Amino acid sequence: MNISYNWLKEYIDFSLTPEELADALTSIGLEVGGIEEVESIRGGLRGIVIGKVLTCEEHPNSDHLHITTVDLGASEPVQIVCGAPNVAAGQTVVVATVGTTLYDGDNEFVIKRSKIRGVESLGMICAEDEIGTGTSHDGIIVIDKNIKPGTPAAEYYNLKSDYMIEVDLTPNRVDAASHYGVARDLSAWLACHATPSQLHRPAVDSFKTDTHDGAVAVEVDDYNACPRYTGITIRNIKVAESPEWLKNYLSAIGQRPINNIVDITNFILLGMGQPLHCFDVDKIAGGKVVVRHCAEGTPFTTLDEIERKLDARDLMICNAEQPMCIAGVFGGLDSGVTQTTTSIFLESAYFNPTSIRKTARRHGLSTDASFRYERGTDPNATLYCLKLAALMVKELAGGEICGDVIDIYPEPVKPFPVKLEYDYVDSLVGKKIPHDTVNAIAKSLEMDITSCDDSSVELLVPTYRVDVQRPCDVVEDILRIYGYNNVEFSNTLHSSLSFKTITDQSNDLRELISNQLSSTGFNEILNNSLTAEHYYEDLADERNVPVKLLNPLSNDLNVMRMTLLFGGLETIEHNVNRRDPDMMLYEFGNVYSCDPSVESTADNPIAPYTETHRLALWLTGNIRTGNWARPEEKSTFFDMKAIVANIFARLGINAKEIELAATTDKKLNDAVKIMTRSGKELGVMGTVTKPMLKRCGVKQEVIYAELDWQTIVKLAVKKKVTYTPLPKTHPVKRDLALLIDESVTMSHIEKIVRDSEKKLLRDVTLFDVYCGKNLDPGKKSYAISITLQDNEKTLQDKQIEAIMNKIVTNLQKQTGATLR
């Protein structure tokens, strides 16, 4: 929101400089993002003064130049060569002195001491277009002879610089989205911290109807979507250019002046915060305005010349035949004011904020009007702003007000009652504020006090403060005017012993694993938890469906993600398209789902919904690039398996506690389920299927793992990773070549080996797999290496043989394996 320093002074008197004003506004919650000086005339007429021509003679070397001496108020007159045909002795003129910068469009030039046809010239006598006060170049400017030489031209033209103050509004402060709204807050601050100053609200007492005939009729079909609608008809107006003061105000905050009628509506919007819309009466078919909904799919062309299909829920401003405007959002192409307009219908309404917000989102529109309507304008300001606009139209465009003011307001909105306990104020602020101060600040914020005693005060909060309806809201308002900096810090420190919660432990472990992954070449990513519903078309089931948004920003962000997979695939697609195909990515994030079979209750309204924290990992392309010393190495499923194993090891979860099992997953080929020995699922990993890759435009193989971080943390917090000294003995390795059925997995073999020897077994690895000729059908050969070690003493041959015989016997019994 841009605020004009001079425009703000129309509503309140203050002596603060722009910088002091910015500090004051920031302190009361209207944070100022920047201050920019705005000049109505470029350069501000700096270096340009009033002079008096003392002598004027013809130039000896030119038939059109003149040599003048000009009194500029200094001790000696200066000589200036002038080519204007109307220059003469005795004139009072406007002079640009040496060093002055003048502007011609985007070009600028500096007045220098120079010789013109051999005669020295120390300045320039100016025409209107040369200093920016007009467009005439017929001759130099000649002004009143009584003006004293040396007077700055800026002073003569009463030129004042303005300042554009950029106020960064929070979404709840729509009441401050206008100059008068800012003035209201500034008035409260001045009353508490400086010299009190009254607000100057423009009077509308002179409003009256000129004739009782010629009014446009109005009909409202939906009072819920349009609780209040006011309007007035003004005929015989003249659309023309706005006066300078109005154009200057609008230009100072970056608004382009258009014509007097449109500029008035913008002036009211930006000045008072009430959006207005102006219709050409000649284009209102049937002489009637109808506020209603249109049929689904009705075509409507807006001012930007785009044809849109209306939703049956869109509130429209229509005439007797067709829609003219999307209520509170955007006008139609054929109903607005043009240069030929002679009669207008002014609309000032209050629309349901939710209805406006949904309509604006559906059509992808955002305007100054919708910005205010969807956050909540003041329903009790519509009539005042309508009268103010009508008076301005009469003043700037002529015309006559026809018929009585139309004001359809079936259920008036009343101020919000709030009871405020003084003790509650003190407990929330952290400081005891005198009761009189609380009451004074409430009054300065235009809150009416209906009753008051030693313990509490009952207030009526004005309707324009749609965000202040609870005691805590009132306390926040009082505190921002009182001043956050005026709440002192106590010298006493109150503390208590604390312990780490599961959340703290989860954060610590998350940082630990993040550091581990990042140090091994992974990059962390962070994706939006909102995603597209079409990703989950065939992934949902009867007890697990996406959580849909009631008011989505777009179709690509209309559900909460059920998995972290697709966000990572979008990241991969983005980078591959930019020639970065080799990636190792990880992300911590929440996933969401809904079980439609579970019903919400009053005690647990979110019973059907589930939110869990996950860790996801992606590998794609090469895990190691090639060079002269070694070839490139492509990422494989087993690389992912090793990475996941290292995560568990770093968390202190022993490999003996983890089991892997084949599973089915619509997202993954050859999916492997990760679980504990007790059957608790910890995650899944595998290669992403081609249909899933295609949904995100990825064409290369991606290996994926998604771990249930919450469950893993519960396991990890019970573990204590401690230092263990290196063994004093050497390990013993024994290899076995096993002929087994194709259905037997390495995880099954590893489990049998670990169950056979739990004390001295250190590792079981697979170092060779063979399938092919010389083997019976349905058979395969696994070569495994078994590592045994006693940390305190050297193993004996008999001891080793006994362990190996037990392992072989168990493998033969449980898998039917034979030694090769």
Side-chain angles (χ1 to χ4, degrees):
M1 173 70 189
N2 293 333
I3 297 293
S4 159
Y5 179 78
N6 291 340
W7 191 347
L8 189 63
K9 285 194 167 186
E10 292 288 331
Y11 303 123
I12 185 172
D13 297 324
F14 60 90
S15 58
L16 303 175
T17 65
E19 290 74 18
E20 291 171 337
L21 174 63
D23 291 340
L25 294 181
T26 299
S27 72
I28 57 177
L30 304 180
E31 184 177 356
V32 173
I35 303 173
E36 179 183 340
E37 185 174 2
V38 179
E39 298 170 331
S40 56
I41 295 178
R42 190 178 179 189
L45 300 182
R46 285 184 289 273
I48 302 175
V49 299
I50 304 301
K52 185 170 185 178
V53 181
L54 302 178
T55 64
C56 180
E57 300 175 356
E58 292 185 359
H59 195 295
N61 299 322
S62 173
D63 58 356
H64 69 282
L65 296 177
H66 297 83
I67 303 171
T68 67
T69 55
V70 183
D71 179 8
L72 299 181
S75 57
E76 297 291 336
V78 298
Q79 179 173 280
I80 298 176
V81 176
C82 179
N86 65 325
V87 65
Q91 292 175 333
T92 301
V93 294
V94 178
V95 178
T97 59
V98 173
T100 299
T101 301
L102 298 180
Y103 301 89
D104 180 14
D106 293 332
N107 300 319
E108 58 182 55
F109 59 94
V110 179
I111 302 299
K112 299 179 180 178
R113 184 172 187 158
S114 60
K115 285 188 176 182
I116 302 177
R117 300 277 180 100
V119 177
E120 188 175 46
S121 180
L122 301 175
M124 182 175 113
I125 304 176
C126 302
E128 285 184 355
D129 63 333
E130 290 168 334
I131 63 172
T133 58
T135 58
S136 173
H137 195 70
D138 295 337
I140 60 171
I141 303 169
V142 179
I143 61 176
D144 187 351
K145 294 182 178 181
N146 295 324
I147 305 300
K148 182 180 177 181
T151 301
E155 181 182 325
Y156 170 75
Y157 284 103
N158 195 27
L159 188 65
K160 296 180 181 178
S161 289
D162 200 352
Y163 295 87
M164 183 179 75
I165 301 172
E166 181 186 347
V167 178
D168 299 327
L169 293 178
T170 52
N172 64 310
R173 291 304 311 276
V174 69
D175 63 289
S178 66
H179 285 75
Y180 190 76
V182 172
R184 273 191 307 237
D185 263 19
L186 180 60
S187 175
W189 184 87
L190 290 172
C192 187
H193 298 277
T195 304
S197 180
Q198 292 294 321
L199 290 168
H200 306 312
R201 193 185 192 199
V204 294
D205 298 337
S206 60
F207 177 88
K208 64 178 182 178
T209 298
D210 296 314
T211 176
H212 293 287
D213 299 325
V216 173
V218 175
E219 179 182 320
V220 177
D221 287 352
D222 187 348
Y223 294 124
N224 181 56
C226 180
R228 187 176 193 183
Y229 191 93
T230 62
I232 194 70
T233 306
I234 307 176
R235 296 184 181 273
N236 302 320
I237 65 164
K238 183 179 180 180
V239 178
E241 186 177 355
S242 295
E244 285 298 319
W245 66 267
L246 179 53
K247 291 193 293 184
N248 288 343
Y249 278 156
L250 294 175
S251 298
I253 59 172
Q255 287 282 333
R256 182 176 64 88
I258 299 174
N259 59 54
N260 51 1
I261 302 300
V262 175
D263 292 350
I264 287 170
T265 61
N266 286 332
F267 180 81
I268 299 296
L269 169 71
L270 300 168
M272 306 305 298
Q274 173 62 41
L276 303 176
H277 196 76
C278 194
F279 298 93
D280 188 329
V281 170
D282 294 336
K283 298 175 183 177
I284 302 178
K288 181 169 72 170
V289 169
V290 183
V291 184
R292 62 180 176 85
H293 299 277
C294 293
E296 182 77 28
T298 301
F300 179 70
T301 304
T302 45
L303 277 172
D304 54 5
E305 300 183 359
I306 296 176
E307 183 177 281
R308 306 175 189 274
K309 300 296 183 182
L310 297 179
D311 188 281
R313 294 166 291 180
D314 295 335
L315 186 68
M316 303 297 295
I317 310 300
C318 309
N319 56 35
E321 300 175 357
Q322 59 188 5
M324 300 185 295
C325 173
I326 302 177
V329 180
F330 213 21
L333 182 63
D334 299 323
S335 62
V337 173
T338 66
Q339 292 299 120
T340 60
T341 298
T342 57
S343 299
I344 60 171
F345 176 77
L346 271 176
E347 167 196 281
S348 177
Y350 171 72
F351 299 113
N352 184 295
T354 303
S355 172
I356 298 300
R357 183 174 65 253
K358 290 183 176 180
T359 294
R361 297 297 180 272
R362 275 195 291 268
H363 296 289
L365 294 170
S366 180
T367 60
D368 285 338
S370 69
F371 174 86
R372 289 160 176 81
Y373 275 132
E374 66 188 40
R375 286 163 175 79
T377 57
D378 183 6
N380 293 321
T382 57
L383 183 59
Y384 165 79
C385 292
L386 179 70
K387 291 181 177 180
L388 181 60
L391 290 174
M392 290 185 66
V393 169
K394 288 195 67 175
E395 178 185 349
L396 303 182
E400 55 182 3
I401 297 174
C402 301
D404 295 331
V405 173
I406 295 170
D407 185 6
I408 303 174
Y409 196 15
E411 296 184 15
V413 178
K414 297 180 180 179
F416 312 113
V418 175
K419 183 177 181 179
L420 189 64
E421 302 283 346
Y422 292 124
D423 289 344
Y424 177 72
V425 176
D426 298 339
S427 65
L428 215 57
V429 172
K431 176 182 178 179
K432 188 172 182 63
I433 301 179
H435 299 177
D436 291 344
T437 303
V438 172
N439 295 348
I441 293 176
K443 287 181 180 179
S444 70
L445 290 168
E446 299 186 355
M447 300 179 188
D448 292 333
I449 297 178
T450 57
S451 67
C452 178
D453 56 34
D454 292 339
S455 62
S456 65
V457 60
E458 294 187 7
L459 305 167
L460 290 178
V461 180
T463 52
Y464 62 77
R465 287 308 306 272
V466 294
D467 63 318
V468 180
Q469 299 185 20
R470 302 169 300 171
C472 60
D473 300 327
V474 176
V475 174
E476 181 184 0
D477 247 20
I478 290 172
L479 181 55
R480 66 185 181 84
I481 299 300
Y482 180 77
Y484 291 96
N485 293 335
N486 292 328
V487 180
E488 302 85 1
F489 285 102
S490 172
N491 293 325
T492 304
L493 176 63
H494 299 280
S495 63
S496 60
L497 295 176
S498 62
F499 63 94
K500 282 191 174 183
T501 65
I502 188 67
T503 301
D504 300 320
Q505 294 169 328
S506 175
N507 290 338
D508 290 344
L509 294 175
R510 172 174 168 169
E511 184 175 357
L512 178 72
I513 297 304
S514 292
N515 291 336
Q516 174 178 322
L517 291 171
S518 297
S519 66
T520 55
F522 274 83
N523 287 310
E524 184 174 10
I525 60 175
L526 182 64
N527 289 295
N528 197 339
S529 57
L530 302 180
T531 185
E533 186 178 8
H534 68 82
Y535 284 156
Y536 305 96
E537 288 176 351
D538 54 354
L539 299 181
D541 54 48
E542 294 180 355
R543 301 179 64 85
N544 191 27
V545 300
V547 178
K548 296 184 179 180
L549 271 66
L550 296 176
N551 185 27
L553 296 174
S554 69
N555 289 331
D556 291 333
L557 300 171
N558 60 344
V559 299
M560 305 293 285
R561 62 187 176 189
M562 298 180 66
T563 172
L564 300 179
L565 172 64
F566 297 110
L569 292 181
E570 289 175 350
T571 303
I572 290 172
E573 186 263 348
H574 178 86
N575 284 274
V576 169
N577 288 345
R578 285 153 182 81
R579 299 188 178 183
D580 185 12
D582 305 327
M583 276 166 280
M584 301 167 66
L585 308 173
Y586 74 94
E587 178 181 10
F588 286 94
N590 291 345
V591 297
Y592 312 84
S593 62
C594 175
D595 185 350
S597 64
V598 178
E599 295 185 1
S600 300
T601 63
D603 295 334
N604 189 8
I606 60 172
Y609 303 98
T610 303
E611 177 182 1
T612 56
H613 199 56
R614 302 283 178 84
L615 166 60
L617 305 126
W618 295 262
L619 293 180
T620 187
N622 295 323
I623 197 169
R624 184 178 290 111
T625 57
N627 55 36
W628 65 272
R630 64 187 180 193
E632 64 185 23
E633 187 176 334
K634 187 179 179 183
S635 302
T636 68
F637 168 82
F638 297 100
D639 294 314
M640 180 64 79
K641 181 182 175 184
I643 291 164
V644 172
N646 286 336
I647 290 174
F648 287 128
R650 189 67 184 88
L651 294 173
I653 302 173
N654 196 295
K656 297 178 183 179
E657 303 177 61
I658 305 299
E659 287 188 355
L660 303 179
T663 187
T664 57
D665 191 302
K666 294 180 180 179
K667 304 185 294 297
L668 304 174
N669 290 323
D670 302 323
V672 173
K673 180 167 59 176
I674 309 165
M675 54 190 176
T676 64
R677 290 293 176 94
S678 62
K680 186 174 294 184
E681 293 188 15
L682 302 179
V684 67
M685 57 185 172
T687 304
V688 182
T689 64
K690 288 186 177 180
M692 298 298 117
L693 295 175
K694 187 176 181 180
R695 292 180 189 185
C696 296
V698 178
K699 298 179 180 179
Q700 63 186 46
E701 186 180 70
V702 177
I703 301 102
Y704 178 68
E706 186 167 317
L707 307 179
D708 187 335
W709 184 249
Q710 290 173 236
T711 304
I712 291 173
V713 168
K714 290 178 182 178
L715 284 177
V717 295
K718 300 175 183 178
K719 309 295 180 181
K720 188 174 182 181
V721 181
T722 58
Y723 160 79
T724 302
L726 291 174
K728 299 176 181 179
T729 62
H730 293 291
V732 175
K733 288 191 176 182
R734 293 290 186 268
D735 296 339
L736 295 176
L738 304 173
L739 185 63
I740 56 177
D741 292 338
E742 287 184 345
S743 60
V744 178
T745 63
M746 180 58 195
S747 63
H748 188 198
I749 291 174
E750 183 178 357
K751 183 178 183 300
I752 294 171
V753 174
R754 291 189 181 279
D755 289 342
S756 300
E757 176 55 46
K758 297 182 179 180
K759 182 179 178 181
L760 301 178
L761 181 69
R762 295 293 177 263
D763 196 14
V764 183
T765 59
L766 176 69
F767 65 87
D768 187 46
V769 177
Y770 176 73
C771 298
K773 64 180 182 178
N774 300 327
L775 294 182
D776 294 336
K779 295 290 184 177
K780 62 183 177 181
S781 175
Y782 271 9
I784 64 173
S785 179
I786 298 172
T787 303
L788 303 173
Q789 188 176 28
D790 188 324
N791 294 343
E792 299 298 330
K793 60 183 179 179
T794 303
L795 293 174
Q796 302 298 315
D797 289 341
K798 288 183 179 180
Q799 190 178 9
I800 296 170
E801 287 179 7
I803 294 172
M804 292 304 300
N805 288 336
K806 183 179 180 181
I807 290 173
V808 170
T809 300
N810 288 338
L811 286 172
Q812 290 173 339
K813 286 181 179 180
Q814 297 183 41
T815 67
T818 57
L819 295 178
R820 294 186 68 192

